[in-house]
């Protein structure tokens, strides 16, 4: 997985005034009703809709009605902000965005993308500031000089740029009006180089060669240099420079944020027209399509699902079939007895939904109230599958059973304070474990009758 | 009283793995077919639910010996073991054995396949074969018991398995 979200800082979103949450690969949020657990899950949906949703017209707030309903205490004048500290393509990346409402429409007010010890891109309005780390430039001065010299003709003759001096790389400002919608869509032109350690790209010149001669000089121009390195498992776009690849993988990661809330059982059990899909819908209503596509491709469901079905529903086979009109639906055979959707257990649908979401390998999987519809044995299985999935998982739960199935280190305790929702990790889990052992009480008992935080 | 052994593991796939392993050990004569053996999940080290779980398994389901298997995850083996032992019901202490893996059960697979363990075994397997945890039981037929005799965790498991199954 080329993307790992390590920490997220949210400001002014719903019940979060200002919180920073360190995420592990497996996270379980607990807390009373209305403490803000679901708001945390929803934030990932908001971010996805606001940054990468391709639907036109662009209306990312439609399900929340308006900005008023997503901003802290309905204070429309406040910006909503996020800072994600993550690993992308092996780089430590910090990506910050602030959103505001302009004439009722969500707009990006500013963006900042920092690649540790190397490069920072800051965008405010139409201006993009490119800042290179001086130590990084110094360490690679000889290589950069060589590359700039080698390609001066390309730069000056073909793209009509002025000669680039190394010292000018520390701080550059580029006017990027209408060039892109946000940093994740930034398009770059990599200079044709053979340097293995670093890559040089130009911002705003990617179409220069197609421009009429007289207009070339008017194009925006900025140079970005980053080291070449690839994390294992990253999407390796050979035709793409490392920064474009990093931005593409960050965009793909946000696109891959998967939020699962309360399944719409009626919708899941209704036959669906065939369609291509690679992310499970929040209410699970495209599960029929996901399963049917797998069945069409390989004549069987993925091993992960087959194994779970054998373990949790012995003597049961699951597949998909089509109606006379070509719509697809789930079919179950229990000891030879054919069961159509109205006769299939809700729990089976829920399990299929969660396993399908894992199998689609999302960059982050957030599931609200994981315990709904699940028997303890199935819950244990699903929790173990989620933990072993390798994906960053965020669960919310009200279930003492779940609290006892996970480690104290996994828990994030949600509380609503006058300063908004807080999500707190247990500070000294080892000490608490000893205390619980001494008292001979469980984690859930300590949560329900006492205070896990203290 | 009939012999019945319960193997408790930390996660569902470990439970499935030991269920398969017991079948193979019985098939190959390492373990008597007369001993009823099952495997289940427990909540992990230092979880007082273990005591209730074992009481139910003994009192209502008739299990009269237990092996508890857990990962050390880099912690001292003895510390992890003692954190489990404190939650074993006093009347079952003599009927319970604890086996701690230095890393995790996947170390048996690496050893059997002749793979050098220089990082987390499951990560090595993932990078080499695209291993996923739900495939753990699929590796039971690939375990090489001769090679595994060099592994402390395997030696401990077999020794404790014999101790439990020959005890009655």
């Amino acid at each position: 997985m080329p993307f790992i979200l390590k920490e997220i800082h949210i400001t002014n979103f719903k019940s979060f005034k200002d919180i920073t949450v360190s995420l592990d690969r497996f996270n379980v949020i607990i807390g009373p009703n209305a403490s803000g657990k679901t708001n945390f899950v929803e934030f990932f949906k908001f971010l996805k809709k606001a940054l990468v949703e391709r639907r036109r017209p662009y209306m990312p707030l439609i399900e929340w009605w308006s900005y008023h309903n997503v901003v802290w205490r309905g204070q429309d004048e406040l910006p909503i902000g996020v800072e994600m500290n993550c690993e992308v393509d092996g780089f430590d990346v910090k990506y910050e965005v602030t959103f505001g409402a302009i004439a009722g429409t969500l707009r990006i007010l500013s963006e900042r993308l920092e690649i540790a010890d190397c490069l920072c891109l800051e965008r405010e309005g139409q201006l993009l500031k490119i800042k290179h780390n001086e130590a990084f430039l110094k360490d690679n001065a000889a290589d950069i000089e060589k590359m700039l010299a080698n390609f001066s003709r390309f730069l000056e003759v073909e793209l009509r740029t002025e000669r680039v001096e190394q010292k000018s790389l520390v701080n550059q400002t580029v006017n990027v009006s209408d060039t892109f919608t946000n940093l994740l869509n930034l398009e770059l032109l990599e200079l044709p180089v053979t340097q293995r350690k670093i890559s040089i790209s130009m911002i705003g010149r990617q179409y220069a060669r197609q421009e009429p001669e007289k207009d070339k000089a008017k194009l925006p121009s900025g140079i970005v240099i980053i080291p070449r390195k690839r994390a294992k498992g990253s999407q390796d776009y050979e035709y793409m420079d490392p920064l474009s690849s990093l931005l593409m993988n960050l965009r793909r990661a946000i696109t891959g944020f998967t939020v699962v809330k309360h399944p719409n059982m009626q919708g899941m059990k209704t036959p669906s027209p065939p369609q291509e899909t690679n992310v499970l819908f929040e209410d699970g209503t495209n599960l029929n399509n996901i399963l049917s596509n797998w069945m069409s491709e390989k004549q069987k469901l993925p091993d992960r699902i087959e194994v779970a079905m054998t373990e949790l529903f012995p003597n049961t086979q699951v597949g998909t079939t089509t109606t006379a009109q070509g719509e697809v639906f789930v079919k179950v055979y229990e000891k030879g007895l054919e069961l159509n959707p109205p006769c299939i257990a809700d729990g089976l649908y829920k399990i299929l939904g969660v396993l399908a979401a894992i199998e689609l390998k999302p960059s982050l999987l957030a599931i609200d109230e994981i315990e709904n519809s699940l028997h303890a044995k199935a819950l244990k299985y699903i929790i173990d599958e989620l933990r072993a999935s390798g994906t960053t998982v965020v669960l919310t739960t009200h279930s003492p059973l779940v609290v006892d199935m996970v480690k104290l280190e996994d828990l994030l305790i949600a509380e609503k304070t006058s300063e908004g929702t807080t999500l707190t990790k247990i500070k000294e889990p080892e000490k608490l474990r000893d205390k619980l052992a001494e008292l001979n009480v469980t984690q859930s008992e300590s949560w329900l009758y006492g205070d896990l935080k203290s | 009283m009939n012999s019945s052994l319960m193997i408790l593991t930390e996660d569902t796939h470990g439970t499935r793995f030991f269920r398969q392993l017991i079948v193979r050990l019985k098939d190959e004569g390492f373990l008597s077919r007369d001993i009823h053996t099952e495997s289940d999940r427990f909540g992990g080290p230092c979880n007082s639910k273990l005591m209730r779980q074992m009481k139910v398994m003994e009192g209502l389901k008739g299990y009269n010996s237990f092996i508890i298997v857990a990962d050390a995850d880099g912690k001292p083996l003895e510390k992890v073991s003692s954190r489990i032992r404190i939650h074993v019901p006093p009347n079952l202490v003599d009927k319970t054995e604890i086996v701690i893996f230095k890393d995790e059960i996947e170390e048996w697979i690496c050893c059997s396949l002749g793979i050098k363990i220089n990082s987390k075994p499951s990560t090595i397997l993932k990078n080499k074969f695209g291993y996923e945890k739900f495939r753990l039981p699929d590796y039971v037929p690939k375990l090489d018991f001769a090679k595994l005799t060099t592994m402390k965790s395997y030696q401990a498991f077999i020794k404790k398995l014999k101790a439990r199954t020959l005890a009655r």
Side-chain angles (χ1 to χ4, degrees), chain A residues 129-197:
Chain A
K129 289 180 183 167
I130 305 168
K131 297 176 182 175
H132 284 100
N133 180 302
E134 288 190 46
F136 166 71
L137 290 179
K138 200 175 160 192
D139 289 348
N140 294 282
D143 288 332
I144 294 169
E145 193 56 48
K146 205 167 143 190
M147 288 167 74
L148 292 176
N150 282 350
F151 294 98
S152 60
R153 191 183 171 281
F154 178 80
L155 291 167
E156 290 163 24
V157 178
E158 293 213 33
L159 303 186
R160 288 281 184 273
T161 60
E162 290 170 9
R163 177 164 175 78
V164 180
E165 300 295 335
Q166 275 220 44
K167 60 183 180 193
S168 69
L169 297 176
V170 177
N171 279 303
Q172 306 164 75
T173 303
V174 182
N175 189 320
V176 288
S177 56
D178 302 327
T179 309
F180 56 87
T181 49
N182 63 49
L183 278 178
L184 304 181
N185 293 318
L186 189 63
E187 289 185 355
L188 298 113
L189 172 70
E190 184 177 21
L191 299 187
V193 291
T194 51
Q195 239 293 337
R196 284 187 304 163
K197 274 169 65 187

Side-chain angles (χ1 to χ4, degrees), chain A residues 86-272:
Chain A
C86 43
E87 191 184 307
V88 190
D89 278 6
F91 291 99
D92 283 328
V93 175
K94 185 188 285 185
Y95 178 51
E96 297 172 47
V97 199
T98 54
F99 301 94
I102 298 174
T105 307
L106 190 76
R107 289 278 180 261
I108 293 176
L109 305 177
S110 66
E111 275 180 290
R112 188 171 182 278
L113 185 130
E114 185 182 333
I115 302 171
D117 306 323
C118 164
L119 173 72
C120 178
L121 302 173
E122 282 179 16
R123 181 208 177 197
E124 199 154 337
Q126 298 182 350
L127 289 184
L128 176 69
K129 289 180 183 167
I130 305 168
K131 297 176 182 175
H132 284 100
N133 180 302
E134 288 190 46
F136 166 71
L137 290 179
K138 200 175 160 192
D139 289 348
N140 294 282
D143 288 332
I144 294 169
E145 193 56 48
K146 205 167 143 190
M147 288 167 74
L148 292 176
N150 282 350
F151 294 98
S152 60
R153 191 183 171 281
F154 178 80
L155 291 167
E156 290 163 24
V157 178
E158 293 213 33
L159 303 186
R160 288 281 184 273
T161 60
E162 290 170 9
R163 177 164 175 78
V164 180
E165 300 295 335
Q166 275 220 44
K167 60 183 180 193
S168 69
L169 297 176
V170 177
N171 279 303
Q172 306 164 75
T173 303
V174 182
N175 189 320
V176 288
S177 56
D178 302 327
T179 309
F180 56 87
T181 49
N182 63 49
L183 278 178
L184 304 181
N185 293 318
L186 189 63
E187 289 185 355
L188 298 113
L189 172 70
E190 184 177 21
L191 299 187
V193 291
T194 51
Q195 239 293 337
R196 284 187 304 163
K197 274 169 65 187
I198 52 173
S199 152
I200 298 191
S201 308
M202 297 200 70
I203 289 175
R205 306 295 292 196
Q206 64 273 23
Y207 305 118
R209 274 184 280 188
Q210 291 129 42
E211 288 290 323
E213 199 63 25
K214 64 182 174 56
D215 293 336
K216 279 186 181 176
K218 293 180 196 163
L219 287 168
S221 161
I223 287 203
V224 286
I225 304 175
I226 70 168
R228 290 186 179 278
K229 62 174 167 182
R230 282 263 189 268
K232 204 158 181 113
S234 72
Q235 290 278 359
D236 198 355
Y237 301 100
E238 283 188 1
Y239 55 88
M240 203 178 267
D241 66 283
L243 182 56
S244 295
S245 172
L246 182 152
L247 294 172
M248 173 170 269
N249 279 325
L250 186 53
R251 190 167 69 235
R252 286 166 59 104
I254 295 171
T255 308
F257 285 175
T258 299
V259 169
V260 180
K261 290 177 77 182
H262 303 288
N264 172 354
M265 287 300 166
Q266 193 60 40
M268 289 170 97
K269 291 181 178 185
T270 304
S272 328

Side-chain angles (χ1 to χ4, degrees), chain A residues 306-334:
Chain A
E306 300 253 337
V307 166
M309 289 298 122
T310 307
E311 183 71 18
L312 299 172
F313 303 94
N315 308 312
T316 300
Q317 280 88 47
V318 178
T320 58
T321 189
T322 51
T323 63
Q325 291 74 35
E327 292 174 319
V328 294
F329 62 96
V330 173
K331 191 116 182 170
V332 168
Y333 295 89
E334 196 179 275

